């Protein structure tokens, strides 16, 4: 599904001098895999995730998503591809505070120009699937951390993406809440969704079937060509 | 769209402080625009309340070589034009006349007009009750009918349904009421700037024309306005050409009346005459409120930019979830348009109050002010302004925030991104723009204020303190006029005037009392031509025609106008004595520049006639500014009332104390002579003077108010930007203080930034002010459009306010605890 070749991300420090966040990243991720990206702070894990999620465009190298050469696409085309194929789960949940649970789930569908009736059906299904129907009219501030992340995951998968990217999805949760989320990811993966997560937790990494280790911007382990 | 509105409303409800300030700011700015547009709509745009008003025109005569234009016509000239002028379907002469309405407890003077029967059909307005004049209701003996206004009907007669066909006592004569005109009907319409600073009061009674035999003989006695309705197929130029031909024939036929050359007549579309004088002032006012709106928009934009910074995370999430740039823009513009609409709604309420206040203070200054209201047109325009303003001030922050840096905003502990720097630049630019615009308004207001102060301090040529005035119009039926068989040199009138003066002079506190036919600075004027003994005019040389006053002996003592040479009139200057005249020094300088005018003689008669009545100049007084405080004194000459009886005079009384205390006593004395005789328009000379500069005062008040609002908004804008800057740089300030920066260093850092913005804004504002103050030239007196003192003072004042606004947050920054500041997440 994903092929990275010689991917590099750097920031200019002074004329002719750069700071490298990612260096010569070449990895493959097959469809249906559950990959954990691990490494110490500053290794470039989140940056890699945001590049995979097409949030970050300032990189060099090659990135193929299902044989589409992302590195040749313009920003608008990347955004369209992202909307179609990728869901993102954030460590801080990043729910919209002024929207109810229902509306938070609805918003990615409205951005994808799904018509109102269809949206209503999809949101209802998702609420049911995640067993949060009773909370649909609540605002994020009225939910616990675990419930907010649950909604975050629900929002990420509502448009049926092929790939879920999760950046420290349990970082702000209690262990029991974190377990619930990881079990949910496992279930989604078993249903065919490819998952790439960034995590510090060995336990969380154990839910996946492959670990990629990054250090100082390099892949040091788990690369697959 | 509905979801965006819902989210926007929720967001605004969550920040009540921001929302209230935003709506209040917009209400002020949009309200001001709405009020001024209401003025423009009613006074300039709305058609006059007549049928097909664009075809209605006034005909004025002129003596170009003597610099006299917009002169009324005489009855013989009107009758000739009625026969000869084919370009108009109808022609109607009219003039003002006051009526003493008797029959009640207190007699009342009512403003009225004497009009041709063709007037009402010409204007095309039907009465609400009864009828208007028939063709035959014209001329002496047929003119004992009147039409009254709905206003008078309601006020004085309690809307009596049986009033039509009843009789009223006017000027001691019985008239039958035949019709009532609707409240919206007004004629003659006051012409701003034609009668001078004051316009005639609204007319409530119309009577048919009835020329006297004397009027029908005197071709040169011009006191009637002339209205015409041009034929639909006749362009103005064609009508003017026809009129020129008629005039040319008159000049050939009546050489004695039109000698001197330069006589002509012009057709003026009525709408232009009514609105022309107001256009400049209203345009300047509109410019001022547009500036205020721009400043308010800039303020709102800076506030929204700060809000967008706080929403960067939310915007990034929306983009991450798939929102395109247009969806983000739409979301942000929805919020700003909602604010705009709320501001517009509140602004309409403010403008209604503002207009009521304006009607109070501007009643004697702006004609037809009573017609100004917030109608559907104004509401539509205000709504459009509200939406447009919302888009205007929402666009900049929306564009500045619609491309958030996703990775920075979405990461854990993400710090403010480069888009924050971009927003700061935009915010600074907006504040600079606000300061520039505020400076332009302040300079304009400052120049007008200086002008006004200069005008107020002008010596008018008389002492305006402690003097009361009252208008008295004697009815013809009791006091026969010139031309009437019972005139007898005006004995009845002079007897009344003398007795009234005697009684008033004996009132406690009265130092002097006298009469004049027109008050200085009142907006009224009379003039007459005359001949000077020993001066022979050239073939086409126009004779002297100067402003004429008829006064009683003590008039100048009431005004405390100094006598320069000779003497005032005396009681002995009566009807049996030789004719005498007093002139002012302007007239003396004009006609006797190198010799003494005392003892010289003038006449109104043909100098070739052996029985010409000569008037000897017995006194020269200091010139009075009659037309306006800001007009140079004109040549004037004065005749004694005892030798020139008049039916309408203005009583003037000088008092030792507050002259208003004399009003009831004066009324009592007048009514002791004639219980049916009212006095009207009782006001002090100070009020007359103040009213004469009321338009100028109104401009100062309005422009000053808008400039004040602009200054407040600019101050708030600076305060907001510097406050935000302090919050943004809290961490940096903490580091500086930890490294040894003192309070003064922090103040310099913050205030220095403010000074930079103020400096740039001031330079731009000064350039704009220099370019724009020329438009004010027509409104300035004795002050140049580039008056350096005003520019400097205003700049210093604005800079002081801006610095004060920045000092407060700067002071806050110096009080920050370095340890707390260091831990602040910038």
């Amino acid at each position: 599904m994903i092929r990275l070749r010689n991917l590099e991300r750097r920031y200019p420090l002074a004329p002719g001098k750069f700071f490298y966040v990612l260096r010569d990243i070449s990895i493959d991720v097959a469809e249906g895999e559950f990959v954990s990206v691990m490494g110490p702070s500053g290794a470039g894990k989140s940056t890699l995730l945001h590049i995979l999620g097409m949030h970050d465009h300032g990189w060099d190298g090659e990135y193929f998503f299902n044989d589409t050469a992302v590195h040749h696409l313009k920003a608008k085309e990347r955004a369209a591809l992202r909307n179609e194929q990728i869901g993102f789960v954030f460590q801080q949940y990043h729910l919209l505070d002024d929207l109810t649970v229902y509306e938070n789930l609805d918003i990615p569908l409205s951005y994808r120009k799904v018509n109102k009736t269809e949206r209503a059906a999809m949101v209802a299904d998702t609420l049911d699937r995640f067993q949060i129907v009773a909370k649909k009219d609540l605002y994020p501030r009225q939910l616990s951390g675990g419930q907010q992340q649950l909604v975050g995951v629900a929002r990420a998968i509502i448009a049926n993406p092929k790939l879920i990217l999760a950046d420290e999805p349990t970082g702000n949760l209690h262990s029991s809440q974190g377990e619930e989320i990881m079990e949910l990811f496992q279930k989604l993966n078993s249903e065919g969704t490819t998952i790439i997560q960034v995590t510090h937790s060995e336990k969380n990494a154990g839910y996946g079937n492959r670990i990629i280790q990054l250090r100082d911007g390099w892949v040091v382990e788990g690369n697959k060509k | 769209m509905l979801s965006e509105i819902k989210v926007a409303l929720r967001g605004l409800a969550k920040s009540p402080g921001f929302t209230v300030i935003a709506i209040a700011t917009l209400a002020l700015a949009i309200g001001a625009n709405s009020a001024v547009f209401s003025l423009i709509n009613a006074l300039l745009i709305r058609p006059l309340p007549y049928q097909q008003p664009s075809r209605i025109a006034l005909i004025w005569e002129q003596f170009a070589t003597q610099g006299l234009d917009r002169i009324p016509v005489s009855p013989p000239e009107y009758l000739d034009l009625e026969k000869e002028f084919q370009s108009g379907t109808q022609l109607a002469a009219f003039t003002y006349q006051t009526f003493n309405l008797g029959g009640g407890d207190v007699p009342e003077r009512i403003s009225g007009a004497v009009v041709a029967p063709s007037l009402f059909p010409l204007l095309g307005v039907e009465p609400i009750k009864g009828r208007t004049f028939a063709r035959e209701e014209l001329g002496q003996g047929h003119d004992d009918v009147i039409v009254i206004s709905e206003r008078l009907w309601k006020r004085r007669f309690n809307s009596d349904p049986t009033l039509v066909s009843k009789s009223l006592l006017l000027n001691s004569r019985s008239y039958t009421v035949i019709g009532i005109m609707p409240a919206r009907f007004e004629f003659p319409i006051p012409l701003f700037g034609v009668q001078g600073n004051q316009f005639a009061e609204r007319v409530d009674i119309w009577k048919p024309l009835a020329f006297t035999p004397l009027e029908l003989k005197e071709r040169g006695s011009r006191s009637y306005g002339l209205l015409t309705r041009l034929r639909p197929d006749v362009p103005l130029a064609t009508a003017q050409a026809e009129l020129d031909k008629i005039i040319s024939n008159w000049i050939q036929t009546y050489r004695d009346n039109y000698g001197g050359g330069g006589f002509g007549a012009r057709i003026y579309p009525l709408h232009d005459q009514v609105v022309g004088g107001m256009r400049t002032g209203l345009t300047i006012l509109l410019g001022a409120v547009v500036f205020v709106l721009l400043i308010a928009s800039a303020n709102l934009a800076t506030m929204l930019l700060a809000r967008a910074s706080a929403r960067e995370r939310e915007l990034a999430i929306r983009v991450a979830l798939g929102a395109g740039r247009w969806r983000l823009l739409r979301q942000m513009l929805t919020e700003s348009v909602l604010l705009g609409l709320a501001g517009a709604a509140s602004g309409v309420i403010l403008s209604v109050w503002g207009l009521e206040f304006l009607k109070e203070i501007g009643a004697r200054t702006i004609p037809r002010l009573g017609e100004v209201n917030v109608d559907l047109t104004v509401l539509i325009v205000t709504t459009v302004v509200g939406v447009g303003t919302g888009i205007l001030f929402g666009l900049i922050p929306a564009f500045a925030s619609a491309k958030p840096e996703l990775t920075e905003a979405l990461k854990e502990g993400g710090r403010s991104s480069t888009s924050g720097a971009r927003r700061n630049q935009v915010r600074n630019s907006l504040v600079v723009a606000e300061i520039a615009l505020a400076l332009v308004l302040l300079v304009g207001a400052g120049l007008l204020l200086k002008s006004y102060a200069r005008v107020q301090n002008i010596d008018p040529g008389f002492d305006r303190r402690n003097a009361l005035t009252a208008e008295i119009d004697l009815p013809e039926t009791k006091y026969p006029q010139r031309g009437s068989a019972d005139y007898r040199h005006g004995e009845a009138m002079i007897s009344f005037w003398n007795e009234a003066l005697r009684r008033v002079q004996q009132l406690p506190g009265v130092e002097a009392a006298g009469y004049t036919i027109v008050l200085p600075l009142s907006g009224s004027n009379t003039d007459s031509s005359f001949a000077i003994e020993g001066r022979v005019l050239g073939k086409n040389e126009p004779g002297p025609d100067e402003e004429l006053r008829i006064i009683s002996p003590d008039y100048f003592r009431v005004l405390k106008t100094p006598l320069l040479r000779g003497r005032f009139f005396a009681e002995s200057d009566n009807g049996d004595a030789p004719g005498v005249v007093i002139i002012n020094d302007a007239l003396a300088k004009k006609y006797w520049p190198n010799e003494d005018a005392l003892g010289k003689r003038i006449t109104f008669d043909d100098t070739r006639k052996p029985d010409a009545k000569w008037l000897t100049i017995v006194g020269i007084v200091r010139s009075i500014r009659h037309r306006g405080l800001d007009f140079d004194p004109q040549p004037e000459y004065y005749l004694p009332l005892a030798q020139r009886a008049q039916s309408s005079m203005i009583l003037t009384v000088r008092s030792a104390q507050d002259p208003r205390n004399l009003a009831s006593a004066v009324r009592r004395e007048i009514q002791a002579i004639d219980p049916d005789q009212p006095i009207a328009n009782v006001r002090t000379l100070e009020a007359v003077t103040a009213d004469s500069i009321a338009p100028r005062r109104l401009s100062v008040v309005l422009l000053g108010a808008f400039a004040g609002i602009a200054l407040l908004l600019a101050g708030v804008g600076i305060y907001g930007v510097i406050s935000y800057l302090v919050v943004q740089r809290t961490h940096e300030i903490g580091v500086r203080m930890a490294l040894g920066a003192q309070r003064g260093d922090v103040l310099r850092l913050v205030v220095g930034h403010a000074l930079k913005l103020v400096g740039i804004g001031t330079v731009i504002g000064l350039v704009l002010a220099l370019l724009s103050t020329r438009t004010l030239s027509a409104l300035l007196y004795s002050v140049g459009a580039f008056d350096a003192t005003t520019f400097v003072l205003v700049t210093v004042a604005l800079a002081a306010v801006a610095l004060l606004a920045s000092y407060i947050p700067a002071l806050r920054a110096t009080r920050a605890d370095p340890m707390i500041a260091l831990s602040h997440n910038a």
Side-chain angles (χ1 to χ4, degrees):
Chain A
M1 184 188 231
I2 289 173
R3 257 187 5 255
L4 302 180
R5 294 288 178 266
N6 308 115
L7 193 110
E8 218 167 59
R9 182 62 165 111
R10 63 185 188 179
Y11 294 95
L13 289 174
K17 285 203 168 134
F18 300 93
F19 168 67
Y20 286 87
V21 180
L22 293 172
R23 304 191 77 134
D24 193 27
I25 304 292
S26 297
I27 53 177
D28 294 343
V29 176
E31 201 164 334
E33 281 200 88
F34 188 158
V35 177
S36 302
V37 179
M38 301 185 74
S41 283
K45 308 184 294 296
S46 291
T47 305
L48 176 63
L49 212 68
H50 282 285
I51 290 172
L52 289 173
M54 298 178 216
H55 295 152
D56 188 342
H57 305 291
W59 45 270
D60 299 303
E62 293 179 340
Y63 173 7
F64 293 91
F65 186 94
N66 278 340
D67 297 325
T68 303
V70 176
H71 47 281
H72 287 151
L73 295 181
K74 294 193 182 106
K76 220 172 167 177
E77 289 163 334
R78 290 182 191 182
L81 181 59
R82 179 186 70 222
N83 287 351
E84 214 181 296
Q85 305 282 349
I86 302 174
F88 215 106
V89 179
F90 304 96
Q91 180 177 359
Q92 310 98 316
Y93 332 131
H94 282 324
L95 298 182
L96 293 171
D97 297 329
D98 291 338
L99 302 186
T100 60
V101 168
Y102 185 102
E103 288 163 346
N104 266 285
L105 296 182
D106 179 73
I107 200 95
L109 299 175
S110 82
Y111 288 151
R112 285 156 176 78
K113 310 263 191 299
V114 177
N115 75 49
K116 202 171 174 187
T117 319
E118 221 177 305
R119 284 197 337 247
M122 290 167 82
V123 170
D125 278 342
T126 306
L127 285 169
D128 194 38
R129 187 174 167 191
F130 283 73
Q131 294 174 337
I132 49 174
V133 178
K135 300 197 184 332
K136 70 178 176 63
D137 292 324
L138 298 181
Y139 289 92
R141 61 183 171 274
Q142 294 170 297
L143 304 176
S144 68
Q147 289 166 338
Q148 287 188 55
Q149 193 58 297
L150 199 62
V151 173
V153 174
R155 185 182 64 184
I157 64 104
I158 194 167
N160 294 317
K162 295 281 188 312
L163 170 68
I164 288 181
L165 302 173
D167 190 355
E168 302 265 17
T170 63
N172 286 2
L173 300 177
H174 292 309
S175 51
S176 58
Q177 291 170 328
E179 274 172 25
E180 273 180 44
I181 296 297
M182 292 315 300
E183 277 160 17
L184 178 57
F185 277 149
Q186 214 173 37
K187 185 160 176 281
L188 289 170
N189 179 243
S190 71
E191 289 166 2
T193 309
T194 309
I195 298 179
I196 302 176
Q197 68 164 339
V198 162
T199 184
H200 279 120
S201 160
E202 296 280 350
K203 189 177 171 198
N204 285 355
Y207 284 88
N209 48 34
R210 182 154 75 99
I211 294 173
I212 294 175
Q213 289 279 1
L214 288 185
R215 189 167 288 129
D216 295 330
W218 299 90
V219 174
V220 296
E221 205 181 305
N223 202 353
K224 207 161 91 174
K225 284 198 186 147
Chain B
M1 194 67 214
L2 207 57
S3 65
E4 267 129 5
I5 294 174
K6 237 177 7 185
V7 168
L9 286 170
R10 270 186 224 153
L12 291 173
K14 235 173 83 171
S15 322
F18 161 80
T19 306
V20 164
I21 291 173
I23 293 175
T25 304
L26 286 168
L28 264 179
I30 297 179
N33 273 270
S34 179
V36 171
F37 182 73
S38 299
L39 279 174
I40 289 174
N41 181 48
L43 303 180
L44 296 187
I45 298 174
R46 219 186 265 159
L48 295 174
Y50 310 128
Q51 204 182 62
Q52 288 189 302
S54 59
R55 301 305 299 168
I56 301 176
L58 285 165
I59 296 179
W60 296 107
E61 292 177 347
Q62 64 194 42
F63 280 94
T65 42
Q66 289 166 288
L68 301 169
D69 74 345
R70 289 196 277 196
I71 300 169
V73 305
S74 65
E77 286 170 339
Y78 162 59
L79 293 171
D80 283 349
L81 279 174
E82 235 193 346
K83 283 188 262 193
E84 296 164 18
F85 188 63
Q86 300 299 313
S87 297
T89 56
Q90 284 143 317
L91 215 60
F94 63 93
T95 189
Y96 285 97
Q97 181 175 329
T98 56
F99 295 93
N100 294 339
L101 177 60
D105 293 333
V106 179
E108 186 186 349
R109 194 186 80 167
I110 311 280
S111 285
V114 175
V115 303
S118 51
L119 179 86
F120 295 104
L122 189 159
L123 295 175
V125 182
E126 294 296 319
I128 53 171
K129 274 186 174 304
R131 62 176 179 86
T132 57
F133 305 132
R135 284 172 70 104
E136 54 276 10
E137 282 165 338
L138 170 75
Q140 290 186 323
H142 303 284
D143 61 329
D144 55 350
V145 290
I146 54 168
V147 172
I148 70 170
S149 69
E150 186 179 355
R151 210 163 61 126
L152 181 67
W153 178 49
K154 284 181 173 163
R155 180 177 64 77
R156 179 79 186 217
F157 304 103
N158 287 325
S159 308
D160 178 2
T162 64
L163 187 67
V164 173
S165 77
K166 272 195 180 153
S167 291
L168 298 182
L169 204 63
L170 294 173
N171 293 346
S172 302
R173 187 182 156 193
S174 179
Y175 289 87
T176 305
V177 178
I178 61 166
I180 299 172
M181 295 305 289
R184 61 180 171 80
F185 178 77
E186 187 173 357
F187 190 85
I189 288 201
L191 302 181
F192 190 78
V194 173
Q195 287 97 348
N197 295 321
Q198 285 290 298
F199 52 88
E201 288 169 22
R202 209 170 161 183
V203 160
D204 284 318
I205 296 179
W206 296 269
K207 185 189 94 62
L209 280 178
F211 298 130
T212 64
L214 188 64
E215 281 182 308
L216 287 169
K217 270 201 299 199
E218 292 192 11
R219 199 171 182 89
S221 177
R222 299 182 174 92
S223 57
Y224 287 84
L226 193 54
L227 202 68
T228 185
R229 176 176 285 281
L230 297 177
R231 292 185 188 280
D233 53 338
V234 174
L236 186 66
T238 307
Q240 182 64 55
E242 190 200 352
L243 186 63
D244 290 340
K245 201 156 167 249
I246 293 171
I247 296 299
S248 175
N249 289 340
W250 286 0
I251 292 171
Q252 293 301 316
T253 313
Y254 305 102
R255 287 177 195 276
D256 288 343
N257 290 101
Y258 305 113
F263 178 73
R266 270 195 64 196
I267 304 173
Y268 297 82
L270 183 62
H271 189 262
D272 288 352
Q273 288 294 282
V274 173
V275 310
M278 293 188 274
R279 219 171 246 134
T280 307
L282 284 175
T283 307
I284 289 171
L285 219 52
L286 186 65
V289 292
V290 166
F291 270 33
V292 170
L293 189 62
L294 288 174
I295 293 171
S297 298
N299 246 357
L300 264 297
T302 59
M303 287 163 73
L304 282 175
L305 273 170
R307 212 166 136 75
S309 295
R311 292 174 72 183
E312 194 171 359
R313 187 187 73 99
E314 178 208 332
L315 296 171
I317 294 168
R318 286 179 181 270
V319 171
L321 293 175
R325 199 169 181 212
W326 166 238
R327 277 298 289 265
L328 279 191
L329 281 173
R330 204 168 83 180
Q331 179 64 53
M332 298 183 75
L333 284 176
T334 301
E335 189 174 281
S336 60
V337 168
L338 282 175
L339 281 173
L341 285 171
S346 316
V348 164
I349 296 170
L350 280 184
S351 73
V352 168
W353 289 341
L355 284 174
E356 289 307 311
F357 173 68
L358 188 64
K359 283 177 188 176
E360 289 257 347
I361 64 171
R364 293 181 73 87
T365 310
I366 304 174
R368 302 167 59 212
L369 198 52
E371 289 178 36
V372 178
N373 57 10
V374 177
D375 63 6
L376 186 61
T377 308
V378 173
L379 285 175
I380 291 171
V381 168
T382 304
T383 306
V384 168
V385 167
V387 170
T389 307
I391 294 173
L392 177 70
F393 70 73
L395 218 50
I396 295 171
F399 270 110
S401 310
K403 264 180 127 177
E405 296 285 340
L406 293 187
T407 43
E408 288 301 322
L410 293 174
K411 270 190 201 164
E412 166 72 357
R415 292 184 179 259
S416 58
S417 56
T418 53
S419 60
R422 189 172 64 232
R423 277 198 284 270
N424 277 347
Q425 272 172 356
V426 173
R427 206 170 7 245
N428 289 341
S429 306
L430 286 170
V431 165
V432 163
E434 280 186 60
I435 291 172
L437 290 173
L439 187 68
V440 173
L441 275 181
L442 285 165
V443 164
L447 288 172
L448 285 180
L449 185 63
K450 194 170 179 181
S451 263
Y452 180 70
R454 290 249 162 111
V455 168
Q456 267 208 310
N457 289 332
I458 291 172
D459 178 4
F462 57 88
D463 185 354
R464 58 188 110 167
R465 296 166 300 175
N466 291 344
L468 189 73
T469 70
E471 293 176 11
I472 304 174
D473 297 312
L474 300 179
E476 190 187 330
T477 43
K478 276 187 183 173
Y479 304 93
Q481 314 273 309
R482 190 189 300 274
S484 148
D486 298 325
Y487 177 58
R488 291 194 204 106
H489 302 292
E491 271 174 15
M493 288 190 275
I494 290 177
S495 171
F496 176 92
W497 296 130
N498 287 343
E499 177 60 10
L501 206 59
R502 188 191 66 78
R503 284 173 168 265
V504 167
Q505 278 166 341
Q506 284 173 358
L507 288 172
V510 170
E511 292 179 344
Y515 296 111
T516 178
I517 196 169
V518 285
L519 270 179
L521 305 176
S522 64
S524 298
N525 216 343
T526 58
D527 64 272
S528 184
S529 53
F530 57 91
I532 299 173
E533 188 177 34
R535 300 267 172 102
V536 176
L537 296 173
K539 192 174 173 213
N540 287 320
E541 188 187 347
D545 188 306
E546 303 296 351
E547 293 175 17
L548 165 66
R549 316 279 175 247
I550 295 170
I551 61 171
S552 63
D554 277 352
Y555 173 65
F556 289 118
R557 289 191 185 90
V558 174
L559 259 52
K560 289 194 177 174
T561 297
L563 178 70
L564 300 177
R565 304 278 316 282
R567 64 172 179 87
F568 289 142
F569 293 138
E571 298 297 332
S572 54
D573 294 318
N574 55 30
D576 298 322
V580 289
V581 59
I582 291 174
I583 63 175
N584 68 358
D585 59 2
L587 197 140
K589 278 194 192 98
K590 184 172 177 181
Y591 293 101
W592 295 278
N594 302 312
E595 49 185 321
D596 188 359
L598 266 187
K600 299 289 190 288
R601 300 202 304 172
I602 65 172
T603 183
F604 296 116
D605 296 326
D606 186 343
T607 54
R608 293 166 297 188
K609 287 192 184 158
D611 60 347
K613 290 194 181 62
W614 290 96
L615 312 173
T616 306
I617 296 172
V618 296
I620 303 173
V621 293
R622 199 163 127 219
S623 297
I624 292 171
R625 287 175 186 261
H626 184 92
R627 291 188 185 178
L629 287 177
D630 47 356
F631 276 90
D632 287 334
Q634 299 297 302
E636 289 178 4
Y637 60 110
Y638 305 84
L639 300 178
L641 176 60
Q643 293 183 350
R644 263 286 187 290
Q646 301 291 312
S647 59
S648 296
M649 297 300 287
I650 301 167
L651 175 66
T652 59
V653 183
R654 178 156 292 281
S655 165
Q657 63 252 359
D658 187 347
R660 289 171 294 186
N661 296 337
L662 285 173
S664 336
V666 166
R667 186 173 278 113
R668 217 175 29 247
E669 293 305 327
I670 299 299
Q671 282 167 2
I673 308 170
D674 181 348
D676 292 331
Q677 183 56 51
I679 63 173
N681 216 3
V682 180
R683 30 178 197 157
T684 63
L685 213 46
E686 263 173 331
V688 172
T689 311
D691 284 348
S692 75
I693 52 173
R696 201 176 274 281
R697 186 170 55 243
L698 192 62
S699 303
V700 169
V701 165
L702 289 177
L703 205 59
F706 296 140
I709 293 172
L711 185 62
L712 177 69
L713 290 175
V716 166
I718 276 264
Y719 175 82
V721 159
I722 300 300
S723 287
Y724 191 75
L725 173 86
V726 164
V727 167
Q728 270 195 318
R729 294 173 82 170
T730 301
H731 185 258
E732 176 199 339
I733 290 169
V735 169
R736 285 174 182 266
M737 287 170 86
L739 293 174
Q742 299 298 308
R743 215 174 134 177
D745 299 316
V746 174
L747 270 175
R748 258 193 301 279
L749 176 75
V750 175
V751 174
H753 182 83
L755 268 177
K756 205 171 106 183
L757 297 178
V758 170
I760 299 170
T762 302
V763 167
I764 297 172
L766 283 173
V767 170
L768 287 176
L770 284 168
L771 291 171
S772 60
T773 48
R774 245 182 302 203
T775 53
L776 287 180
S777 298
L779 303 179
L780 300 178
Y781 176 80
S782 186
V783 173
F786 308 123
D787 182 59
T789 315
T790 305
F791 272 72
V792 165
L793 282 174
V794 158
T795 306
V796 166
L798 177 63
V801 166
L803 281 174
L804 179 68
S806 61
Y807 187 73
I808 298 165
L811 212 56
R812 224 175 24 234
T814 63
R815 291 194 186 126
D817 184 330
M819 289 317 298
I820 296 172
L822 279 169
S823 64
H824 188 269
N825 199 4

